[in-house]
Amino acid sequence: MRAFDLILGAFGLLSAVEGSNVKRRDSSVQLWPSRGQNNVNIDTNLVLTFSSAPTIGKNGTIRVYNSASGEQVDLLDLSIPVSPSPFGNGSTKANYTDTTTYQTNIIGGMDFYFFPIIVRGNTARIYLHNNQLDYGQTYYVTMDPGVLNLASGPFEGFSSACAWTFSTKAKGPAAGTDQVVVASDGSADFNTVQGALDWAPINPSSWTTILVMDGDYEELVYFQYKTKVLVRGQSQNGTRLGYPNNSAFNPPNRQGPSRRPAFSFKGVADVQLSSFSITNYYRGQAEALLTDGMRIVIDNMRLNGSGDAMTTYGTAYVRDTTLYGDGDTILGYGSVFWENCTISTGAAMSWTRTVQGIHGNVFVNSTILGRDGNNTFVRLQSNVGGVLPWWPYSEVVMINTRTQGIAPIGWGPIQGAPYPDQHLHLWEYNTMDLGGKPVDYSQRLNISQQLTLPANASVISAYTDPAYVLGGWTPVVFS
Ligand SMILES: *[C@@H]1O[C@H](CO)[C@@H](O)[C@H](O)[C@H]1NC(C)=O
Ligand SMILES: *[C@@H]1O[C@H](CO)[C@@H](O)[C@H](O)[C@H]1NC(C)=O
Ligand SMILES: *[C@@H]1O[C@H](CO)[C@@H](O)[C@H](O)[C@H]1NC(C)=O
Ligand SMILES: *[C@@H]1O[C@H](CO)[C@@H](O)[C@H](O)[C@H]1NC(C)=O
Ligand SMILES: *[C@@H]1O[C@H](CO)[C@@H](O)[C@H](O)[C@H]1NC(C)=O
Ligand SMILES: *[C@@H]1O[C@H](CO)[C@@H](O)[C@H](O)[C@H]1NC(C)=O
Ligand SMILES: *[C@@H]1O[C@H](CO)[C@@H](O)[C@H](O)[C@H]1NC(C)=O
Ligand SMILES: *[C@@H]1O[C@H](CO)[C@@H](O)[C@H](O)[C@H]1NC(C)=O
Ligand SMILES: *[C@@H]1O[C@H](CO)[C@@H](O)[C@H](O)[C@H]1NC(C)=O
Ligand SMILES: *[C@@H]1O[C@H](CO)[C@@H](O)[C@H](O)[C@H]1NC(C)=O
Ligand SMILES: CC(=O)N[C@H]1CO[C@H](CO)[C@@H](O)[C@@H]1O
């Protein structure tokens, strides 16, 4: 099956614009799915590739109809604004007086503002609302003129029921299948990571593996309450997930939790992510990854976010992973054991919000790079206008950490000096420069502790054991 079908001049190569003016509009367009294509996955995007870059119009619709019944199964109306902040640069606060309807997609059961069309280079990718297509159906697509525009004028789109049709696969993967494959070129079980996650069973008796082939997956990913799911990329740099999203594009609403990450999940248990990259293309409060669940394994990943690049709740074991962020790079509510990770940060590496009774962020054999030459490991401040309480049980423990660009004070700022510091654990053992030479501790924040041997041997030993940090869980990483 060919991924793309070149259609030359199928749609009005020469057509009349404004009376007698005859204008050449679109010389060629490649469609995916191609016209009449069979065996299409139900999570397909609709992709148009032109010979030059199209722009997105301000009105008009894209509709998908079931060819047999004539029923309209999806509608994208471009006159609906994308988000209160489509460029991700506006207010990051909830605005409950704003009753405007924005482009909304239900992803993994939660509503997100989304881009109905994303243009990259000469390609326009149309994102239908999730889960609108069924197996074993034939569909046709219509698109108003001017939904997309070329330098030569509006792309005239599709108006007839036979201009752009395709048929979906007869059925999806059988229940009980333990591995499904995602490929962005449509050659596997799913086209999108979200499609595979939507399919993954709730509460299965054994693990489901979602293998993601190399490619670009520009999609918002969100799932809830799943267990025993392993998402594995073909290669860390070649399997690229990402989305432009942040707290301005998707501000808080009344429905629920943070919606600003590129990839997030909630209320899960036993989830492993391995060997792919996630980038949040927007800056600001913009997680690459938000983990909320028990026994989460993050292995050999490359994560690139901005503020709060990774937010954690629950328990997680992170190894062999690179995390890049612009400040509060780890927004930590969870108990997380970091082993052999590299964290590159602007501003403070972490705002660790450990509560009483659990461990916080523990780093072993990891590297922390401060990009400003003057960064700190953690800061602790009140979130509400300078009023306490802040996070008096915050715990960050670093063992055998290589560092660069870290301020001599190491830790802070901490709000509220003199600090009610008796519960804080800001501890480090054997912090080195990149060459392995011990760093100078003489200017460290007075309430941090520099552990030594033999005095602190038992503490150091305890904190190198993931099970001690993670409430008794000994992580198992599937390779
Ligand atoms: C889109 O807007 C233009 C100008 O505002 C108008 O001429 C055109 O009819 C509209 N198209 C649709 C499909 O509403
Ligand atoms: C956001 O970015 C857009 C596009 O660059 C610009 O037109 C707009 O003025 C910006 N808004 C704010 C609040 O900065
Ligand atoms: C909230 O939304 C209303 C209605 O759209 C708008 O007038 C107001 O400026 C918004 N407030 C903020 C802070 O963005
Ligand atoms: C992955 O990409 C990053 C950034 O482009 C680069 O620094 C790194 O060396 C790459 N890793 C591999 C294994 O190719
Ligand atoms: C992270 O993503 C941003 C935005 O796409 C990009 O500018 C930056 O180069 C990326 N950084 C790394 C280390 O990949
Ligand atoms: C540490 O992680 C890197 C990838 O980031 C990997 O190449 C290396 O083998 C790991 N080292 C150990 C000791 O696990
Ligand atoms: C850290 O690295 C040392 C060797 O440098 C190794 O002996 C130890 O097992 C590692 N610890 C963890 C928890 O990876
Ligand atoms: C480093 O940060 C500290 C605390 O924010 C500040 O007082 C100091 O001036 C900074 N130094 C440099 C060289 O930026
Ligand atoms: C640490 O330094 C702060 C600010 O200089 C001071 O208020 C506090 O009393 C000191 N705490 C200890 C335990 O020395
Ligand atoms: C480390 O050892 C010193 C000296 O015995 C002790 O005062 C300190 O409380 C120990 N730190 C921890 C975290 O146990
Ligand atoms: C900063 C950034 O990557 N912005 C992009 C966010 O996504 C929109 C829509 O795809 C692009 O137009 C921006 O360039």
Side-chain angles (χ1 to χ4, degrees):
M1 188 202 318
R2 286 181 60 195
F4 288 94
D5 187 19
L6 187 65
I7 301 176
L8 277 167
F11 310 103
L13 185 61
L14 293 173
S15 50
V17 177
E18 310 282 331
S20 61
N21 250 346
V22 173
K23 221 169 168 186
R24 186 174 290 263
R25 283 179 179 167
D26 47 287
S27 54
S28 68
V29 60
Q30 297 172 338
L31 301 180
W32 165 263
S34 60
R35 295 170 88 205
Q37 187 171 327
N38 294 316
N39 283 320
V40 174
N41 289 321
I42 59 171
D43 61 337
T44 192
N45 300 143
L46 306 178
V47 185
L48 298 91
T49 303
F50 297 91
S51 53
S52 61
T55 57
I56 302 171
K58 297 212 175 338
N59 63 4
T61 62
I62 299 159
R63 296 167 198 261
V64 179
Y65 296 88
N66 186 304
S67 295
S69 66
E71 181 202 355
Q72 178 181 302
V73 300
D74 202 12
L75 164 65
L76 295 169
D77 179 351
L78 290 200
S79 68
I80 297 171
V82 164
S83 147
S85 180
F87 300 97
N89 57 357
S91 168
T92 61
K93 301 276 188 283
N95 182 353
Y96 296 135
T97 62
D98 184 1
T99 54
T100 313
T101 298
Y102 296 105
Q103 297 285 354
T104 300
N105 196 2
I106 307 298
I107 301 173
M110 190 151 83
D111 59 306
F112 288 86
Y113 300 145
F114 80 121
F115 292 99
I117 306 178
I118 293 180
V119 170
R120 298 288 179 204
N122 294 350
T123 296
R125 182 173 289 269
I126 297 167
Y127 293 79
L128 299 177
H129 292 101
N130 287 9
N131 299 306
Q132 301 306 304
L133 305 184
D134 284 328
Y135 287 106
Q137 305 294 322
T138 298
Y139 295 102
Y140 71 91
V141 182
T142 66
M143 183 192 293
D144 289 331
V147 162
L148 292 170
N149 298 282
L150 300 163
S152 53
F155 174 61
E156 72 178 25
F158 313 95
S159 55
S160 107
C162 51
W164 190 1
T165 67
F166 63 90
S167 300
T168 53
K169 281 182 178 161
K171 49 187 193 309
T177 304
D178 61 5
Q179 176 169 298
V180 294
V181 180
V182 180
S184 57
D185 68 0
S187 61
D189 300 307
F190 295 95
N191 292 23
T192 63
V193 176
Q194 186 67 40
L197 285 163
D198 287 346
W199 170 85
I202 299 272
N203 205 16
S205 55
S206 59
W207 282 71
T208 304
T209 298
I210 295 171
L211 180 61
V212 187
M213 305 312 286
D214 279 356
D216 284 301
Y217 300 84
E218 189 161 10
E219 50 172 312
L220 269 172
V221 175
Y222 181 76
F223 56 103
Q224 314 178 59
Y225 313 125
K226 303 258 170 169
T227 57
K228 297 186 181 148
V229 181
L230 164 54
V231 183
R232 184 187 298 288
Q234 185 180 357
S235 70
Q236 194 198 65
N237 272 14
T239 306
R240 292 181 291 266
L241 279 69
Y243 204 76
N245 196 17
N246 62 14
S247 57
F249 185 78
N250 257 307
N253 70 7
R254 289 200 169 90
Q255 262 72 57
S258 172
R259 303 179 308 151
R260 64 198 196 198
F263 189 119
S264 56
F265 48 79
K266 180 181 172 226
V268 306
D270 301 307
V271 166
Q272 179 176 331
L273 308 183
S274 284
S275 303
F276 61 95
S277 65
I278 305 172
T279 302
N280 195 323
Y281 303 123
Y282 274 164
R283 305 290 91 182
Q285 290 176 317
E287 281 94 345
L289 175 65
L290 181 151
T291 68
D292 176 345
M294 302 308 287
R295 299 182 300 277
I296 309 306
V297 171
I298 307 297
D299 153 57
N300 189 38
M301 295 284 291
R302 204 154 75 84
L303 306 171
N304 176 351
S306 183
D308 314 333
M310 178 161 167
T311 294
T312 65
Y313 298 86
T315 54
Y317 172 66
V318 187
R319 75 166 199 195
D320 303 351
T321 286
T322 304
L323 171 64
Y324 178 98
D326 295 330
D328 299 339
T329 293
I330 299 163
L331 186 62
Y333 298 87
S335 300
V336 185
F337 192 90
W338 303 78
E339 186 174 331
N340 187 38
C341 291
T342 299
I343 294 143
S344 166
T345 191
M349 179 193 66
S350 179
W351 188 348
T352 292
R353 296 174 170 185
T354 321
V355 297
Q356 185 172 9
I358 63 167
H359 291 291
N361 283 300
V362 175
F363 301 86
V364 177
N365 295 353
S366 291
T367 301
I368 296 171
L369 307 171
R371 294 200 306 277
D372 307 326
N374 191 20
N375 302 86
T376 59
F377 301 128
V378 68
R379 69 171 186 128
L380 288 172
Q381 278 169 292
S382 163
N383 225 359
V384 276
V387 179
L388 298 182
W390 41 275
W391 302 90
Y393 288 85
S394 183
E395 178 178 87
V396 176
V397 180
M398 307 192 324
I399 295 169
N400 300 333
T401 310
R402 287 176 192 251
T403 59
Q404 186 180 51
I406 298 298
I409 195 167
W411 307 80
I414 315 287
Q415 193 174 46
Y419 324 106
D421 60 352
Q422 64 275 24
H423 303 300
L424 279 181
H425 291 176
L426 308 181
W427 299 345
E428 60 193 306
Y429 168 69
N430 191 30
T431 304
M432 300 164 269
D433 65 17
L434 291 186
K437 214 166 111 254
V439 300
D440 177 5
Y441 289 145
S442 62
Q443 293 179 59
R444 284 298 199 242
L445 184 74
N446 62 1
I447 57 170
S448 68
Q449 273 196 46
Q450 287 63 47
L451 306 177
T452 56
L453 287 177
N456 302 115
S458 60
V459 174
I460 293 165
S461 161
Y463 278 89
T464 52
D465 174 12
Y468 176 78
V469 174
L470 302 174
W473 169 49
T474 300
V476 175
V477 182
F478 296 111
S479 55

